[in-house]
Amino acid sequence: MFNPFAVARRLREVGLVGINGRNAEFVLRYNPRRFYPRVDDKLLTKELALAAGMPVPDLYAVVREEHEIAELHAKLADRSSFVVKPARGSGGDGILVIDGRRGERYRRANGSFMTRDEFDHHLSNGLSGLFSLGGQPDHLIVEYMVRFDPLFERVSFKGVPDVRIISFLGYPAMAMIRLPTRMSDGKANLHQGAIGVGIDIPTGLTCRGVWGTEPVREHPDTEHSIVGLQIPHWQELLMIAARAYELSGLGYVGVDIVLDRDRGPMILELNARPGLAIQIANGNGLRHRLEQVQALERHGKLSADPAERVAFAQARFATV
Amino acid sequence: MKKSQLYVLAALFIAAGLTAFFYKWKVLKFPVHPVEQSEVWELQARVEYQPRSGPNRVVLQVPIDPPGYSILDERFVARGYGMNTERRREQRSREVQWTIRRASGSQALYYRATVFRDGTPSPERDRPQLASPPELEEPFAGAAAALLETVRAQSVDSATFAARLIQEFNDANPGQEVALLLQDRRGDYDRVRFAIDLLAIRNIAARLVHGVRLDAATGQGGELRPWLQVYDTSAGVWHTIDPRSASIGWPEDLFLWSRHPGAVLEVEGSPRARFDIRVQKSMVDSLEAAVQRLEVRDRNLVAYSLLALPLHTQDVYRILLMVPIGAFIMLILRNLVGVKTFGTFMPVLIAISFKWTSLLAGIVLFVLIVGMGLLVRFYMERLKLLLVPRLTSVLIVVVLLMALVSVLSNKMGLEVGLSIALFPMIIMTMTIERVSVAWDERGGGFAMKMAAGSLVIASLAYLVMSWPPLEHLLFVYPELLLVLLGLTLLLGRYSGYRLTELMRFRALARPQQDG
């Protein structure tokens, strides 16, 4: 029987952070409104990251006006693979991954082809704000298409897996890796059908996964185990997550990082209100970890050194 | 941060709202429930005209001694005008003259009366003055004589005579004489005046009066219309005849506006004057009693309340005051339950539009139009239109669809289709766009689920918003919105789980087996 009161009590014990709790206690308190453009506009995020010497995918082009769409084809003439995304997009909507072409047609990562007209129409929709947060007119960025680390070949369908780390006041609090599936059409968004797999912060080993609402141990398309994988460059990833605090000015931020085969970890985007499914993927609630950091804050012991913060997180935030 | 400050603020709002509510309820004795039994009606005549550049004079006939009703209260609202009321003894009529030396812009003048229905109408016994018979030329004189002869043969007294005459007038296939006589007399007023003339030829005294039907069933009234009265010499009473049905007798719900035989409204030199009458049976009933008691004590309490507004504006506020209720329901469903909807307040807007169509018809129309609009929208997708032109084309199609539905349902004799005209089309257009975007991005199932969620919440909000006791309560006690504001503030910092989250995360609540 589903008893809401018992479930609510149990979830409080586990330390689950709900949407209202996340918004009221963390997002509203720790994320000053004036810093939102830094994460809402991916172009700005990219510039800030570059200024801070942090790795991001190369920027090929920016489309701001309708007429620039036509010029884009010329600019991209000598590139066979690239990603187009709305600068203020949310939830992975409107992202177009092109990994090849046949004459006048572009091949999408999911294998389907797109005519030039369809491509142009998609871009023009993006410009008029179809995919952006408030329906505001937007600009599009065209950037390097990440070639993912061979480790993930067997646990990913098409698209590129990414690692999401929630960083609280610069302390990496919880992490997961998002694996695209056939159902998610190569996208790494959980609500679109990607798998979320929790990562143990101290070791960088994957522990358990969730697909939709059900726990999984194998990738549904490749049937390879998703448990016990060692995330490469783990220390580097944690450092990026820790430094994202200074970069964004946001206390509670979700950092999305991709692992490129050749170039290693790169910041994909930052998120001012990261989703809560990471808790299901880890089988752990966030609250207890966030409260440990809040305890440091109360005692004035927050560290300004990212390395120290990473060390603290690795000592405390094991996934159980 | 300052959570205590929030609690104090919320408590203040709730306390202020409840205090005002209790004071008005217990001390000033405003009614909590809408009362229906005794009939108190609010009649409002509104005159609108474009003034001339010089001095302007407006003459409006207003009620006096209406049989079966008593006037509890009346008000004349005309800012900046000189006012003078005058009785016309011979016609037992009364008029108000509004005068102004200089006026610019559209002018609106009001006469409002609160009338109480006090039982059976008393027959009117004043003596008539016989009008002089008209001079008719041939062939009209001959036709009139023939018609009157036919009518006489089929009647026994002056009342049946007049009724028979009206029947001839109203006949769907009129005889030759009637067709000839009425060819230039089409309106109710013209025909009644002509009937009076014809009756004068027969030495039957008749007159025209202006009346309004107050429909007890709908609580509203119709327009001002002419009624024919004929004098029965032997009994010494006036009989009233409905010029539309030719039935004899004073209808119970007829309110006699004026006995003045001429036009009810005369505006010097302004043919563009408009005149309408609004009637409402109101809960003002016991409310009116309270209001009248108060007026003696403290005028301002009433003067600064919604009840002092013109009826047009009151109607608007009846709806406006319910909007926060709908929004509050949204708040609960979204923040406590976690229902997903299109847009933040879209369901509330849809709920408001249901007010004009009733629930079931509203849902059907909504699904119909949004469904058809979606088909069009999907086709537009193929045309690769840009966003704004696409929205505009969908909007145009929506308006056309609405017109089509109205025309079709009118043809089929369905009333609801006509009220669709007030269905906000922008809401429909945006809904169509959002459904189709969600469809493209997240799949049809997801889009349908969100659309259904929006519609369910809209229906729920509508049901609550159109609950008459609540509507009454908020209209009479608008300060209750302060209580709602307080509750909203409290909920504003609710950081607990939503009901749907309990479902979503319930796997976490189970004891862990693996590590």
Side-chain angles (χ1 to χ4, degrees), chain A residues 10 16 19-20 25 124 217, chain B residues 335 386 495 497 501 509 514:
Chain A
R10 183 79 192 107
L16 177 93
I19 293 184
N20 292 331
E25 295 168 42
S124 132
R217 301 183 70 88
Chain B
N335 270 25
L386 298 184
S495 59
Y497 301 127
E501 281 179 334
D514 54 351

Side-chain angles (χ1 to χ4, degrees), chain A residues 10 31 47 50 73 106 129 171 182 205 222 224 231 234 269 274 284 288 314:
Chain A
R10 183 79 192 107
N31 292 354
E47 284 164 9
L50 282 175
H73 293 282
Y106 291 102
Y171 291 81
R182 186 188 297 275
L205 289 170
T222 65
H224 272 278
I231 306 289
W234 183 237
E269 62 176 87
N284 278 206
H288 301 319
Q314 288 193 291

Side-chain angles (χ1 to χ4, degrees), chain A residues 58-187:
Chain A
D58 292 345
L59 180 67
Y60 291 164
V62 181
V63 184
R64 292 173 199 276
E65 305 283 343
E66 201 68 35
H67 64 86
E68 288 173 3
I69 295 176
E71 299 163 19
L72 184 65
H73 293 282
K75 275 192 197 166
L76 296 172
D78 53 348
R79 304 203 189 272
S80 62
S81 65
F82 52 88
V83 179
V84 183
K85 50 171 82 160
R88 296 197 200 98
S90 67
D93 291 347
I95 294 181
L96 202 58
V97 183
I98 302 293
D99 67 357
R101 41 170 114 201
R102 287 281 175 283
E104 281 287 276
R105 291 157 168 236
Y106 291 102
R107 189 177 70 219
R108 299 184 58 180
N110 62 10
S112 68
F113 280 90
M114 221 178 181
T115 66
R116 230 181 141 109
D117 269 356
E118 284 166 343
F119 182 80
D120 288 355
H121 182 62
H122 183 95
L123 264 59
S124 132
N125 269 340
L127 281 183
S128 47
L130 187 60
F131 312 113
S132 75
L133 285 165
Q136 302 295 320
D138 200 357
H139 44 272
L140 303 163
I141 53 185
V142 184
E143 64 179 25
Y144 170 74
M145 188 194 83
V146 174
R147 271 166 261 263
F148 59 77
D149 195 287
L151 172 75
F152 301 114
E153 244 156 43
R154 287 174 305 181
V155 289
S156 172
F157 183 82
K158 305 287 183 194
V160 181
D162 67 7
V163 175
R164 143 96 35 114
I165 303 178
I166 292 197
S167 168
F168 182 51
L169 295 173
Y171 291 81
M174 193 173 272
M176 71 168 165
I177 182 161
R178 302 184 295 183
L179 305 173
T181 62
R182 186 188 297 275
M183 192 179 151
S184 76
D185 192 24
K187 291 181 181 161

Side-chain angles (χ1 to χ4, degrees), chain B residues 84-155:
Chain B
N84 181 30
T85 55
E86 201 173 312
R87 294 185 138 202
R88 291 278 167 83
R89 187 149 297 242
E90 71 277 16
Q91 285 151 351
R92 296 178 64 213
S93 68
R94 188 170 66 128
E95 65 187 37
V96 54
Q97 284 192 28
W98 280 301
T99 45
I100 191 163
R101 174 78 59 188
R102 195 167 290 130
S104 66
S106 180
Q107 303 285 304
L109 311 170
Y110 295 90
Y111 166 80
R112 288 178 65 184
T114 309
V115 304
F116 175 67
R117 186 154 151 206
D118 54 9
T120 52
S122 54
E124 299 191 69
R125 292 186 175 278
D126 52 316
R127 314 281 304 162
Q129 281 185 316
L130 192 60
S132 50
E135 307 279 335
L136 288 176
E137 292 167 16
E138 288 301 340
F140 302 104
L147 173 62
L148 290 175
E149 203 46 50
T150 327
V151 169
R152 197 191 86 90
Q154 294 167 354
S155 60

Side-chain angles (χ1 to χ4, degrees), chain A residues 2 4 8 10-12 16 18-21 25 66 93 121 124-125 128 130-131 191 208 217 277 280 283, chain B residues 335 381 384-387 390 437 441-442 494-498 501-505 508-509 512 514-515:
Chain A
F2 174 70
R10 183 79 192 107
L11 289 179
R12 255 195 302 280
L16 177 93
I19 293 184
N20 292 331
E25 295 168 42
E66 201 68 35
D93 291 347
H121 182 62
S124 132
N125 269 340
S128 47
L130 187 60
F131 312 113
H191 66 77
R208 63 173 83 77
R217 301 183 70 88
I280 311 182
Chain B
N335 270 25
E381 182 70 36
K384 309 280 176 217
L385 297 185
L386 298 184
L387 181 75
R390 186 173 65 219
V437 168
E441 292 289 323
R442 312 265 160 97
Y494 170 76
S495 59
Y497 301 127
R498 297 177 182 176
E501 281 179 334
L502 297 181
M503 293 298 286
R504 181 178 166 208
F505 291 108
L508 268 186
Q512 300 286 333
D514 54 351

